[in-house]
Amino acid sequence: MNIQQTPLERRRFLGGVLAAAVLVPLGGSLASCAGGGGGTTSGPSGTVSDANPFGMADNSTIDAVIFKGGYGIDYATFAGDLVQKNHAGTTAKVAASTNIAQELQPRFVGGNPPDLIDDSGANLIGINTILSQLEDLNSVVNAKNLEGKVIKDTLYPGVLAPGTFGDKLASINYVLTVFAVWYSASLFEQNGWKVPKTWDEMLALGEKAKGQGKYLFCWGKEAATYYLELAIASAIKEGGDDVRLALDNLKENCWSHPAMQSVLAGMEKIVKAGYMKPGGSGTAFTAAQAQWIHDESAVLYPSGSWIENEMKDQTLAGFKLTGAPAPTVTSGSKFPYEALHSAAAEAYIVPSQAKNVAGGKEMLRTMLSKDAATNFAKNQLASTIVKGTIPEDGFGSTALVSQTKMLDAAGKNIFTWGFVDVYGMNKDLLVVWNTFLDGKSDVATLTSDMQKITDKVRNDSSVSKVEVK
Amino acid sequence: MSLLGTSVPPAGTAPAGGTRRRSKWSFDRISFIAVFLGVPLAVYLIFVVSPFVQAFYYSMTDWSGFTQKMNFTGLANYGRLFSDDIFMKAMGNNILLALALPAVTIVLSLVLASLVTVGGSSRGQVKGLRNSSFYRVVSFFPYVIPAIIIGIMWGQIYDPSNGLLNGILTAAGLEQFRSFAWLGSENTAMAASMFVIIWGFVGFYMVLFVAAIKGIPAELFEAARIDGAGRFRTATSITIPLIRDNIQTAYIYMGILALDAFVYMVALNPGGGPNNSTLVMSQQLFSTAFNKGQFGLACAMGVVLAIITLAFSALVFLVNKLTGGSKDTQ
C-alpha cells in the first residue's frame, strides 16, 4: 500500500470537513433567524353557563404547573379534583416544578405553555417579561365562585394590586402575605417589653435587649432586603402615597423623600449603636433566622408571614410567634400605625397561547371558592386571599391569629408596591443593603446607591415600564 | 497518484494495489468515514457548534427569552455590556480568578506531587515521603465531593456566629474573629472563596502531576542526585521542564474553571458578595436571562465569556511557546 500519500489525503479530507463544519451551522442559523411559527390559539370551546362561565370545552384537559415550595402542590391537586368532579370528563393534570423559568421557557417559545401556572419561587418568570402573552384575569374575579358569589367581593382588600398592570389583571396572587415585624410574645411578656411603634422606641428597645445580652435585629446575606421592605413600609406610612408612587414609578430622587430619609436615619442609629447582630452579611438567611427564632439572640425580625412555615422545625417551644406592623417615624404619620403592607404571593397566570385557556380560568375559579380556599388555610396554616377561611383560634397558630388581627385593625389602610420584583432589582439592592446593615456605609451612600440602581432601570429603554397609579 | 507509492510496490501485490487505488469510494471506505467521522461530526455540529452560532445570533437581538418575537439590534447589547459597571466588575473578578487560581493551585499541587514522588529520603532509590500513598489518597478526597456540596460545606464553616473557622480562631484567643463575616467583608470574601476552589482542586492536580512525574525515567533523577542536585534544584531543572505539557494543560483547565466558577460562587455568596466582590460573569448571565428576562443581553455575556476563555487559552499557549516550551515536544 502507498503509505506516503495517506497523510496528505487525510489532511485534505479533514480540511474539507472543517469547511463544511463552518458552513453548515451558518446555513442553519440563517434559517433559524425566522424563528418558530407563531400561532393564534383558539381552543375548542364549550357552552357558556353559570356552571361553566368561561366556556371550557367538554372532555378537555387542563395542564397546570405549580411551583413546589413551602406550600407544596397538594392544595392545587385538591382544586383539580374539584374541577374534575364538577365537570365530568375533564382531566386536570397538576404538575410540580421547583424551577419555573428554566422549565417553562422552552414551552413559551414553542407556543405551547401550560393552561395555568403558579409563577413563584426564586426562579420565577418576571411577569413584566411575558405581560403581553398573558390573559386578562379580570374575567375570573368578575365571575361567580362555586357558591354563587362574585369572586371580587370575597377577597381581602388590596390583594389584586400586585397582579394589576395598568388595566390588566395579569396574575391572581393566591396566598395572602402580611409583612410585619415578628417577635416572641412570651419573651416580650417575660421582660415586660412593649412592641416599639416608632424608630425612637426601637432604639430604646435595642438598649434594653442589649442589657439581656441580646441584639435588636439580625439578618442574613440573601435576606438583607427584608430591611428594605421594612424601610419602604415605614416610609409609606410616614409620608403617604407620594412615597409609594415615586418609588413604584422609579421617579428621580425617589429615595430622597423626607419620609424615606428619616426612616433610614432611624435605622442607621440602630446600626451604629451596635444593635444589629454582627456578621449578617456572611450568614445564610436561614441560619440568621434560626438565631432569632431558636437561639433568641435577636428579638425582632422583619419578614413576610411565610416565616412561620419556613422556620416551623426550628421554632423554640413556647415562642408564641406574633407580628406587629412596621413602625412609623412620628405619631403624626400620614397612615395610622395600624396600616399594613400586605400583598398576595404565589402568582397564578394563564398564558393566552395555552391550549385550554378556559380550563385554566375554571381551575383558578375553583381555587378561589370556599372549599379549596379553606382546605389551603387548614393544611398550610396560611390564608388565601379569600376572606373568612381562618377560624378564631387560627388552627392553633398565634402567628395566624395575629395576622388576622393586624388585617382587621388595618381595615382599608393596606398598601403594597411592586417595583423591586417587577424590574428584578432585588439582587442589586441586596448588595447595598448588606453593606449598610454591616455599618460600612451611611444613609447618604445608601441613598445614592439605591438611586443609581433605580435610575439605571428607568433609563434603560429596553425595559418596558409599568405605570402605577 | 504519487510516484513514491507505485515505485516501491511490495512484491506480488502490484496488480491488486492498482485496482484498489482506482475504486477510491469503496463501501468499506465510505462506511468507515460515515461511522468514524460523519456521526461524531454531526453530533458535534448539532449539539456544540449550532448552539454557539445561535447564541451569537441571539446576542444581537433584544430577545426576551419567552416569545418567538425578536428584533435585530446589531451590536447594541455589546455596547450596553461594556458600559455596565456591574458586568465590568464581574469581568474583573473573573480575570482576577483566572490569574490567581491556576497559579496558586498548580504551584501547590506541584509541590505536593514532588513531595510524594521524589521528595523522600536521599539515600537509596528515588522515592517519595514515607506514607506518600496515604497522603495521595487523602488529598484526592476533596475532588470526589461535588462542587455544590463543597460550597455549602464551606459556607457553614465560614458562618460568622456558629462556623467552625471562627470557633477555632476565637478558641485560640483571637477575639477579633468573633462574628467576623469572612464571606461578608469586602476584603476577605474573594480570598475566602478562592481558598475553597483551590482546596477542592489541589488534590486532583497533584494526582495528575504524580502520574506525569512517574513517567519520567528514574535514572534522570538519580543522575541529577549524583551530580549533587538538591530537591529544589531537581524540581526546577528536571521535573518541571519534563512535565511542562501537563502543566500547560492543567493551567488551561484551571483557567477555564476560574472563568466559570459559577457553582462555587453561587453556593458561597448567591448575591455576588459584599459590593459584588465575588460576582462572576456566569452569575450575571444567569440572572439576566432568567430573572430579568433579557436573553439577548445574556447571550452577549456568554459570547464575551467565550471570547475571554479562548483568549486565555491562546495566551497560555503563547507564553509556553515563547518561553521555549515547544522544544520538549519536538
Side-chain angles (χ1 to χ4, degrees), chain A residues 22-348:
Chain A
V22 173
L23 286 175
V24 168
L26 267 181
S29 75
L30 286 175
S32 73
C33 293
T40 44
T41 20
S42 51
S45 54
T47 26
V48 175
S49 68
D50 268 0
N52 187 12
F54 312 111
M56 181 173 68
D58 295 336
N59 301 324
S60 61
T61 302
I62 305 168
D63 180 7
V65 176
I66 310 296
F67 169 68
K68 190 177 180 184
Y71 301 120
I73 67 158
D74 286 350
Y75 70 95
T77 316
F78 181 89
D81 290 346
L82 275 183
V83 176
Q84 290 184 5
K85 208 171 76 186
N86 295 338
H87 302 273
T90 305
T91 319
K93 269 198 319 187
V94 178
S97 167
T98 51
N99 220 336
I100 296 289
Q102 281 111 303
E103 208 165 294
L104 297 184
Q105 189 243 341
R107 294 190 61 179
F108 270 94
V109 178
N112 63 333
D115 307 319
L116 182 65
I117 305 169
D118 172 12
D119 185 24
S120 304
N123 287 314
L124 53 79
I125 308 169
I127 299 250
N128 203 20
T129 318
I130 47 170
L131 191 55
S132 61
Q133 293 162 268
L134 299 178
E135 278 291 295
D136 187 350
L137 298 176
N138 272 313
S139 58
V140 175
V141 291
N142 286 326
K144 285 178 181 163
N145 64 12
L146 296 180
E147 289 78 42
K149 281 187 206 149
V150 177
I151 291 179
K152 216 181 207 169
D153 303 333
T154 65
L155 307 179
Y156 278 105
V159 290
L160 296 177
T164 308
F165 296 79
D167 296 326
K168 185 174 183 176
L169 183 61
S171 77
I172 293 180
N173 297 15
Y174 190 57
V175 183
L176 186 71
T177 306
V178 168
F179 291 84
V181 181
W182 301 90
Y183 62 97
S184 159
S186 49
L187 179 75
F188 271 56
E189 213 171 293
Q190 239 170 50
N191 291 294
W193 294 338
K194 279 221 175 83
V195 180
K197 293 187 171 183
T198 63
W199 286 102
D200 289 337
E201 288 177 32
M202 278 276 180
L203 198 67
L205 178 65
E207 201 180 338
K208 285 184 207 155
K210 192 118 206 181
Q212 302 276 335
K214 294 180 191 303
Y215 292 95
L216 184 64
F217 286 117
C218 64
W219 90 100
K221 60 186 170 188
E222 305 95 333
T225 41
Y226 287 5
Y227 289 85
L228 168 67
E229 184 280 323
L230 183 63
I232 297 177
S234 178
I236 291 176
K237 283 161 82 161
E238 185 63 31
D241 274 334
D242 288 357
V243 180
R244 182 174 64 86
L245 293 173
L247 289 172
D248 249 351
N249 293 318
L250 309 172
K251 288 272 153 44
E252 276 175 61
N253 298 324
C254 54
W255 297 101
S256 305
H257 193 285
M260 178 59 78
Q261 286 296 307
S262 53
V263 168
L264 294 179
M267 283 188 153
E268 190 186 31
K269 269 189 214 158
I270 290 169
V271 172
K272 296 283 184 233
Y275 298 156
M276 302 286 306
K277 188 168 180 3
S281 59
T283 308
F285 80 105
T286 40
Q289 286 169 188
Q291 288 166 3
W292 154 71
I293 209 165
H294 184 268
D295 306 345
E296 292 197 323
S297 55
V299 299
L300 294 173
Y301 191 75
S303 166
S305 44
W306 62 77
I307 190 85
E308 184 189 22
N309 245 320
E310 191 170 59
M311 302 307 291
K312 215 186 238 168
D313 300 336
Q314 295 178 62
T315 308
L316 197 69
F319 191 81
K320 287 196 186 161
L321 181 65
T322 310
T328 57
V329 181
T330 58
S331 51
S333 55
K334 289 255 170 76
F335 279 115
Y337 166 72
E338 287 74 22
L340 209 53
H341 174 204
S342 170
E346 306 283 309
Y348 275 80

Side-chain angles (χ1 to χ4, degrees), chain B residues 180-304:
Chain B
F180 184 78
W182 289 95
L183 294 172
S185 323
E186 210 176 333
N187 300 329
T188 53
M190 191 51 151
S193 307
M194 280 184 182
F195 178 82
V196 173
I197 302 179
I198 293 168
W199 179 87
F201 277 93
V202 161
F204 173 74
Y205 285 106
M206 186 193 97
V207 170
L208 189 87
F209 292 145
V210 165
I213 293 172
K214 294 266 177 180
I216 301 173
E219 301 91 76
L220 285 178
F221 290 112
E222 277 158 17
R225 195 198 285 168
I226 289 165
D227 285 347
R231 289 193 186 84
F232 184 73
R233 184 70 204 270
T234 311
T236 52
S237 300
I238 307 280
T239 314
I240 293 178
L242 285 176
I243 63 165
R244 199 173 175 129
D245 281 353
N246 296 69
I247 296 178
Q248 177 187 309
T249 310
Y251 213 99
I252 290 175
Y253 274 22
M254 199 62 201
I256 290 174
L257 181 119
L259 288 170
D260 173 20
F262 181 77
V263 179
Y264 297 94
M265 293 315 190
V266 166
L268 290 169
N269 255 330
N275 233 341
N276 288 321
S277 56
T278 65
L279 184 74
V280 292
M281 281 187 279
S282 44
Q283 269 176 294
Q284 192 66 2
L285 190 161
F286 185 89
S287 70
T288 307
F290 291 106
N291 298 354
K292 294 190 182 165
Q294 300 177 322
F295 271 65
L297 191 62
C299 284
M301 291 181 180
V303 171
V304 170

Side-chain angles (χ1 to χ4, degrees), chain A residues 14 39 61 290 431:
Chain A
L14 284 173
T61 302
V431 174

